[in-house]
Amino acid sequence: MERGPWPRAMAARWLLLLLLGPALQVHAQLDSSDFISIDCGLPETSTGFTDNVTKLSYVPDTGFTDAGTNHNISAEYVTASLPMNWHTLRSFSGDRDARSCYTVGDLVSDLKYLIRAMFMYGNYDNLNRLPIFDLYLGVNYWQTVNISATDEMMIYEIISIISDGHVQVCLVDTGSGTPFISSLDLRPLKNNLYPQSDESQGLVLSDRRNFGASDSVIVRYPDDPYDRIWMPLLSKTAEWSVISTDNIVENRSNSFEAPSAVMQTAVMPTDPSSAFGFIWNAQPSAKNHMPGYVCMVYLAELQHLPRNTVRQFNIYLNGELGYSGGYTPSYLFTDVIYSDKPFYSSHPYNISMNATKTSTLPPIMNAAEIFSVVSTTGTATIAQEVAAITAVRDTYKVKKNWMGDPCAPKKYAWDGLRCKYFESSPPSVTGLNLSSSGLSGNVSFSFANLKGLQYLDLSSNNLTGSIPEILSQLSLLTLLDFTGNQLSGSIPSELLKRTRDDSLIIKYDNNPNLCTNRDSCQPAQKNSRSMVAVYVVGTVVAVLLIVLLLVLLLFLRRRMHGTTSNIITMGNKAIIAPSHAQSSSGHSSLRLDNRRFTYNELETITNSFQRVIGRGGFGKVYHGFLQDGTQVAVKLRSESSDQGVQEFLAEAQTLAKIHHKNLVSLIGYCKEREYMALVYEYMPEGALHQHLGGSTNNGKTLTWRQRLRIALESAQGLEYLHKGCNPPLIHRDVKTSNILLNANLEAKIADFGLLKAFNRGNDTHVSTARVVGTYGYLAPEYLATFQLTNKSDVFSFGVVLLEIVTGQPHILNGPEPTSIVQWVRQRLAHGNIEAVVDSRMRGDHDINSVWKVADTALKCTTQAPEQRPTMTDLVAQLQECLELEVARGYTNAGFYTTRNGDDMSTNVSQRTFEIDHLGRVPTMSTGPALR
Ligand SMILES: *[C@@H]1O[C@H](CO)[C@@H](O)[C@H](O)[C@H]1NC(C)=O
Ligand SMILES: *[C@@H]1O[C@H](CO)[C@@H](O)[C@H](O)[C@H]1NC(C)=O
Ligand SMILES: *[C@@H]1O[C@H](CO)[C@@H](O)[C@H](O)[C@H]1NC(C)=O
Ligand SMILES: *[C@@H]1O[C@H](CO)[C@@H](O)[C@H](O)[C@H]1NC(C)=O
Ligand SMILES: *[C@@H]1O[C@H](CO)[C@@H](O)[C@H](O)[C@H]1NC(C)=O
Ligand SMILES: *[C@@H]1O[C@H](CO)[C@@H](O)[C@H](O)[C@H]1NC(C)=O
């Protein structure tokens, strides 16, 4: 991805993770039985081995991949101390752009993993040719592997969340040598470790160093329960001296957990007044031109300091101050200074420290980690289709390079597959050509799970058995080619029906045993002339019957539909071809505004109402896909619904007319017999209600800025109803469960079933026959008098704002249920904003903007409607609050950059060490001792 000059506004912050008091929770001992260690290239017959030093068990790679060939590294590189897992490797010779993958399943879904791929060339092929190839994690580019020496043990590592219980590590041949791999490790982490790695971003290891360790000491499992590999950095030099302790150094910050063995050594500058630190260079690659970096510096005091001594220092990254006011490490407790967002720089990065004026001791540092960030937002093919096509591959032992994700990335899509790609939803398989692929056995039912399939070519194989009826579930199918197989039985009637509909062409020539006429099930005639002669009478009768039947059908269809078909006679059998080649394509674009769906279509869209994503008084909401792959939410009215037919229709009619980016948009509706349904755009992040309750996003809390933006956007949606519509509309059911969020957490108001138009004329209110809405959100005057104004929505919106600030539900369960309005009023009466602010935001917010929102919310919820602000006022005020919050970020960035970075870098350069190659273990043929 090309990046311009790095955006200042998004400058990363330096955070200091101080001890948070006693550990928040006691964690069960991490079990190394959850580790997966694969030694690639071991013979299939091997049962694996246990590593002498780490005592971890390695398994052979059979079963994780079915491609490639096994090799031993050349004998001259096998030393007594070289751990076993480096002795063998698997190589994947293929063409340029060929992708070879390892698939590891049975992982914990949505858990963060450390994934480590290891490579040692060792001249296994006697060619002495060092390859360069690409590494992918699933569909996302991870890193380019550049094997730069024959005897180097190279380690590439990524930390990423694994979303669906399995992961693929793929090697892509980029035309610069044969990809190979020596071993592959997977280590489960905890999701709160390395917070910079999330659903959309992975951390690629650049370096992980243990300062002050002796040259031969490598710390990993069991000293590090996560089996991170901590390499020593040049222990002693003239400029650096080492301090160490035998005492345990505790980590109480749960975000990084550096092991005590690493923290027990540290370095400091020999000259106490000098600055010191380290630098590294960005490592751009063809696929990541300007990688961003995050860095963690681990600090702990190791000396028990006498009373009159002070160790206090400042920490800078590229001249930006990391911790103001001077930092003093804690005795035998680990602190971490880290950047929460990536830094981008085209110059070398440097971390430097200098003692403050009051300090009597030089700065120290114990360990550091540097990562570049990679995006992990590439979307894999629809999971159900991956399962289906994989089953097809495995059933027929398809001999094609079918590895990794079937459709993504586009460049590496499987041979014979046609895929459709969408902006924000997963790609889908639309065509499959398995012609002449040596398939034998029955026609797999798995084809029926490729729901987006339009074209299926199974011609010229040895398929036997009958054509499964289940293929008729492929509603988009337009061409089905079985020509040249050994199929028997008859063509399922549902499919035949579709051929008559002009929506499907079936080719089944050269299937000697296939019965093409349901009524008199004779095998289809063979091509051979002599056979024709033998069966001439039967053939003539059969052909006549077919023709007669077709003519009859045609006649009936004409009468019924007034459409035409052409009958083309080819060879000895009839094919019904659509009269207008494009006639069915009109169906495939469902994206007409407010289109009307049939109930059958809804069944297809929702896969027979399989996945329920919501429930309400009206019935259930189902997830579905349109034919073009667009995700939708289908709200089906149940017969027992409280929501009347009128309300349902009112919603459809109103929504058809109003469009605003902060209102959920209606795609279509269905009204057929007793069935009524509305089809909306799908909002993948669900309701605000769920986020505030912490039940989504892995329980991750919305930040204050995200909350403000959601509040502002919801307000804009409501303002549009109140001001932008003619007649103005009152929503009547504003609540956090009716504010939905899309993938970018943009808010849209939903559920317009209770929408009410103001009467025209000069009325300022409407009266309703009964109170509707949700208790706890209802304005007092509406409850009392049934009088509805747009200020009733403002009241409800005030309640929403209070929930946003406090993270509490609108009715608090206590000994006595209390409304949130009362609860906040009581607490704020004492001027104590902290007592109401959602503590899960950890104080990371501008206090003024929180006050302002809370204050505004209380104005919205005053008893007298006329004292409440209008939605227009609210939009303006929320806008201001958001600006305050955003400005807070700018202030920090501005403050940091006022430092004179240039001067410092010259000061620092003499005292810093360049951390040399990234992600590489220095040559270790001399035999490092693993701890
Ligand atoms: C690797 O070496 C082992 C033992 O030295 C041998 O049994 C095995 O066949 C070799 N593998 C290959 C692929 O050459
Ligand atoms: C590991 O231990 C076994 C048995 O003690 C020994 O035969 C082998 O050479 C050792 N391997 C290494 C790499 O030290
Ligand atoms: C691979 O590494 C060598 C030296 O280590 C370097 O000269 C070369 O540019 C690198 N190639 C790529 C494609 O990164
Ligand atoms: C960090 O501290 C916690 C709590 O004391 C402990 O459970 C965990 O094992 C420690 N982690 C490391 C890497 O030592
Ligand atoms: C079908 O199988 C037979 C023998 O089993 C083989 O001779 C023939 O080539 C196969 N046909 C195709 C199209 O694969
Ligand atoms: C530390 O370095 C910064 C940046 O160069 C400089 O502004 C500051 O004066 C230095 N502090 C001391 C005590 O030398």
Side-chain angles (χ1 to χ4, degrees):
M1 198 169 44
E2 201 75 54
R3 283 182 210 271
W6 56 296
R8 297 298 311 184
M10 287 171 53
R13 286 174 302 157
W14 269 116
L15 301 181
L16 174 67
L17 205 65
L18 291 162
L19 345 159
L20 300 171
L24 295 173
Q25 62 213 94
V26 180
H27 297 288
Q29 184 61 44
L30 204 87
D31 191 352
S32 67
S33 67
D34 293 330
F35 288 6
I36 297 171
S37 313
I38 301 170
D39 185 6
C40 309
L42 275 187
E44 242 174 81
T45 51
S46 165
T47 50
F49 59 87
T50 301
D51 184 86
N52 285 3
V53 180
T54 60
K55 305 285 181 264
L56 292 173
S57 304
Y58 279 80
V59 295
D61 59 355
T62 341
F64 295 103
T65 183
D66 42 19
T69 49
N70 292 346
H71 298 275
N72 292 325
I73 58 167
S74 187
E76 59 192 292
Y77 297 101
V78 180
T79 60
S81 59
L82 185 71
M84 283 292 283
N85 58 305
W86 301 96
H87 291 204
T88 59
L89 57 86
R90 186 182 286 258
S91 77
F92 302 89
S93 57
D95 304 324
R96 195 190 165 117
D97 289 341
R99 177 174 52 169
S100 313
C101 300
Y102 277 77
T103 305
V104 185
D106 291 330
L107 305 179
V108 183
S109 287
D110 299 319
L111 185 65
K112 208 171 275 186
Y113 275 83
L114 178 157
I115 299 149
R116 185 159 52 211
M118 289 164 278
F119 309 87
M120 177 166 163
Y121 172 61
N123 197 20
Y124 73 90
D125 52 3
N126 288 317
L127 295 173
N128 261 315
R129 203 179 291 150
L130 303 175
I132 298 176
F133 50 91
D134 282 348
L135 206 50
Y136 277 76
L137 184 67
V139 300
N140 296 294
Y141 171 76
W142 163 359
Q143 203 168 356
T144 295
V145 176
N146 184 349
I147 307 291
S148 48
T150 311
D151 60 349
E152 218 144 23
M153 300 152 80
M154 306 189 74
I155 295 178
Y156 289 80
E157 189 185 297
I158 189 169
I159 292 175
S160 178
I161 290 180
I162 299 304
S163 56
D164 41 15
H166 73 276
V167 70
Q168 293 192 312
V169 172
C170 301
L171 312 174
V172 172
D173 189 328
T174 52
S176 310
T178 304
F180 72 89
I181 181 165
S182 304
S183 34
L184 183 61
D185 287 346
L186 280 94
R187 309 288 183 241
L189 301 177
K190 286 184 297 203
N191 277 357
N192 60 349
L193 286 178
Y194 298 98
Q196 301 98 327
S197 150
D198 58 21
E199 287 76 11
S200 62
Q201 181 168 284
L203 297 181
V204 172
L205 183 68
S206 273
D207 218 325
R208 177 181 290 127
R209 292 291 174 164
N210 178 6
F211 295 121
S214 338
D215 279 352
S216 58
V217 173
I218 295 173
V219 177
R220 60 180 295 188
Y221 186 83
D223 289 313
D224 186 330
Y226 302 105
D227 193 28
R228 289 165 290 189
I229 297 178
W230 300 81
M231 302 303 293
L233 184 78
L234 305 161
S235 52
K236 245 185 208 160
T237 67
E239 280 94 8
W240 285 13
S241 47
V242 171
I243 53 172
S244 66
T245 178
D246 289 332
N247 294 323
I248 299 290
V249 181
E250 289 189 48
N251 78 85
R252 286 196 180 172
S253 52
N254 284 315
S255 301
F256 298 99
E257 296 194 21
S260 179
V262 166
M263 297 305 294
Q264 281 167 333
T265 57
V267 288
M268 55 185 188
T270 310
D271 171 2
S273 64
S274 75
F276 93 131
F278 55 90
I279 65 180
W280 74 92
N281 287 302
Q283 297 272 303
S285 69
K287 298 209 171 54
N288 197 356
H289 297 285
M290 181 108 178
Y293 284 87
V294 296
C295 176
M296 295 109 209
V297 182
Y298 295 87
L299 304 157
E301 181 58 77
L302 303 180
Q303 294 174 325
H304 197 72
L305 301 182
R307 277 199 174 279
N308 52 349
T309 54
V310 180
R311 192 192 305 280
Q312 195 190 49
F313 51 94
N314 291 319
I315 304 165
Y316 303 87
L317 184 135
N318 290 359
E320 289 188 14
L321 189 58
Y323 183 72
S324 54
Y327 163 76
T328 297
S330 320
Y331 182 56
L332 299 182
F333 281 108
T334 302
D335 287 334
V336 187
I337 295 237
Y338 68 100
S339 42
D340 64 338
K341 292 194 194 70
F343 283 92
Y344 294 90
S345 166
S346 49
H347 303 295
Y349 294 80
N350 75 53
I351 299 276
S352 66
M353 304 174 191
N354 63 5
T356 60
K357 299 227 159 51
T358 52
S359 185
T360 61
L361 294 168
I364 58 170
M365 56 181 179
N366 309 55
E369 289 182 286
I370 303 162
F371 295 91
S372 62
V373 298
V374 289
S375 159
T376 54
T377 54
T379 38
T381 308
I382 297 172
Q384 188 196 19
E385 298 188 6
V386 176
I389 192 80
T390 306
V392 167
R393 179 190 68 190
D394 297 345
T395 307
Y396 299 115
K397 314 224 169 342
V398 173
K399 285 168 206 65
K400 292 177 193 266
N401 182 26
W402 276 14
M403 277 184 282
D405 188 87
C407 294
K410 199 170 184 172
K411 187 171 177 190
Y412 307 122
W414 290 2
D415 186 28
L417 246 62
R418 206 158 63 192
C419 299
K420 196 164 174 192
Y421 299 88
F422 307 96
E423 198 141 303
S424 56
S425 52
S428 166
V429 178
T430 57
L432 178 54
N433 180 354
L434 279 172
S435 175
S436 307
S437 301
L439 314 187
S440 60
N442 293 332
V443 176
S444 169
F445 283 20
S446 297
F447 290 115
N449 287 328
L450 294 167
K451 296 289 185 207
L453 212 57
Q454 297 167 4
Y455 161 89
L456 177 60
D457 186 352
L458 298 173
S459 62
S460 307
N461 287 299
N462 265 343
L463 293 171
T464 52
S466 54
I467 299 176
E469 178 97 44
I470 196 168
L471 291 184
S472 61
Q473 289 184 4
L474 294 173
S475 56
L476 305 181
L477 206 58
T478 54
L479 179 67
L480 193 49
D481 193 344
F482 288 118
T483 312
N485 280 288
Q486 310 292 325
L487 295 171
S488 54
S490 52
I491 296 176
S493 56
E494 280 297 313
L495 286 174
L496 270 185
K497 210 160 86 195
R498 297 247 305 270
T499 63
R500 285 180 225 122
D501 269 2
D502 299 347
S503 64
L504 176 66
I505 301 174
I506 307 180
K507 296 186 185 172
Y508 44 82
D509 225 348
N510 291 329
N511 280 281
N513 302 316
L514 191 68
C515 167
T516 53
N517 178 348
R518 277 185 83 75
D519 299 328
S520 62
C521 230
Q522 303 264 5
Q525 294 70 30
K526 311 224 171 180
N527 253 346
S528 147
R529 274 176 186 278
S530 62
M531 297 304 272
V532 173
V534 172
Y535 293 110
V536 66
V537 178
T539 307
V540 168
V541 171
V543 169
L544 275 178
L545 273 174
I546 291 171
V547 170
L548 215 74
L549 198 76
L550 290 173
V551 168
L552 194 73
L553 275 172
L554 198 67
F555 177 72
L556 285 175
R557 272 177 52 82
R558 279 232 172 111
R559 299 232 358 210
M560 284 158 62
H561 303 288
T563 57
T564 58
S565 294
N566 301 327
I567 300 171
I568 309 164
T569 307
M570 279 171 54
N572 58 354
K573 88 181 173 52
I575 294 178
I576 306 173
S579 51
H580 313 288
Q582 295 306 313
S583 70
S584 58
S585 66
H587 297 286
S588 63
S589 89
L590 292 186
R591 278 191 107 170
L592 299 173
D593 274 347
N594 302 315
R595 150 201 165 106
R596 185 165 182 166
F597 292 90
T598 65
Y599 185 71
N600 273 342
E601 281 170 327
L602 292 187
E603 268 184 332
T604 310
I605 289 170
T606 58
N607 201 1
S608 304
F609 302 101
Q610 210 170 42
R611 197 176 134 212
V612 178
I613 52 174
R615 273 164 226 273
F618 49 83
K620 293 179 186 164
V621 183
Y622 300 88
H623 178 256
F625 288 98
L626 296 188
Q627 286 182 340
D628 66 358
T630 311
Q631 298 189 66
V632 292
V634 177
K635 176 166 140 182
L636 185 67
R637 180 179 171 270
S638 80
E639 285 187 67
S640 57
S641 162
D642 318 337
Q643 191 178 7
V645 177
Q646 288 317 315
E647 284 158 353
F648 210 88
L649 290 178
E651 178 166 6
Q653 278 162 9
T654 313
L655 273 177
K657 280 177 265 165
I658 57 179
H659 300 280
H660 186 271
K661 68 176 171 39
N662 300 120
L663 301 178
V664 170
S665 57
L666 184 74
I667 290 170
Y669 67 100
C670 164
K671 185 173 181 303
E672 182 183 327
R673 303 188 303 270
E674 72 275 25
Y675 299 115
M676 264 178 251
L678 296 178
V679 180
Y680 298 95
E681 69 177 308
Y682 176 57
M683 301 291 282
E685 283 294 333
L688 173 60
H689 174 71
Q690 294 160 284
H691 283 261
L692 292 175
S695 66
T696 57
N697 214 359
N698 295 318
K700 210 196 280 174
T701 310
L702 292 172
T703 64
W704 179 239
R705 193 192 287 201
Q706 285 169 328
R707 292 177 196 221
L708 275 177
R709 209 168 62 120
I710 290 167
L712 174 63
E713 286 164 349
S714 319
Q716 283 165 342
L718 288 173
E719 192 210 6
Y720 174 78
L721 292 179
H722 291 181
K723 287 275 149 60
C725 295
N726 184 21
L729 299 167
I730 307 176
H731 185 283
R732 292 209 289 177
D733 204 9
V734 176
K735 55 180 173 181
T736 45
S737 49
N738 279 342
I739 295 174
L740 302 185
L741 305 175
N742 70 10
N744 300 326
L745 292 180
E746 283 159 0
K748 299 185 186 216
I749 305 272
D751 203 341
F752 305 91
L754 304 181
L755 210 59
K756 195 92 188 163
F758 280 101
N759 292 339
R760 283 161 201 282
N762 53 4
D763 310 1
T764 53
H765 71 270
V766 285
S767 291
T768 59
R770 64 192 172 98
V771 170
V772 295
T774 304
Y775 184 72
Y777 287 96
L778 296 177
E781 74 280 3
Y782 178 46
L783 273 172
T785 64
F786 292 0
Q787 299 236 318
L788 191 65
T789 68
N790 52 13
K791 294 293 179 73
S792 326
D793 277 353
V794 171
F795 182 95
S796 312
F797 187 71
V799 176
V800 168
L801 287 180
L802 291 178
E803 287 179 63
I804 288 177
V805 170
T806 62
Q808 301 288 343
H810 68 285
I811 306 275
L812 280 86
N813 289 321
E816 228 175 286
T818 317
S819 108
I820 193 170
V821 179
Q822 228 179 324
W823 188 79
V824 173
R825 266 186 211 286
Q826 279 164 6
R827 275 164 182 70
L828 286 191
H830 306 297
N832 186 1
I833 185 86
E834 294 300 348
V836 305
V837 175
D838 190 347
S839 60
R840 287 170 300 175
M841 292 193 289
R842 298 203 186 125
D844 187 13
H845 49 71
D846 180 85
I847 199 74
N848 294 321
S849 79
V850 173
W851 258 116
K852 201 164 149 72
V853 174
D855 191 46
T856 306
L858 291 182
K859 287 200 184 101
C860 295
T861 52
T862 49
Q863 292 285 317
E866 60 281 0
Q867 284 171 18
R868 296 176 204 151
T870 64
M871 279 326 292
T872 313
D873 300 334
L874 285 170
V875 167
Q877 280 171 28
L878 288 169
Q879 184 83 51
E880 255 173 59
C881 292
L882 184 59
E883 277 160 15
L884 267 181
E885 175 65 16
V886 171
R888 193 169 67 99
Y890 280 117
T891 316
N892 281 353
F895 172 65
Y896 293 143
T897 49
T898 55
R899 299 281 155 167
N900 188 340
D902 290 340
D903 286 351
M904 191 184 66
S905 60
T906 45
N907 267 346
V908 158
S909 55
Q910 309 134 6
R911 304 263 181 246
T912 54
F913 283 89
E914 184 160 354
I915 294 191
D916 67 351
H917 185 76
L918 305 172
R920 174 207 296 174
V921 185
T923 310
M924 297 196 299
S925 43
T926 50
L930 289 166
R931 281 178 61 153

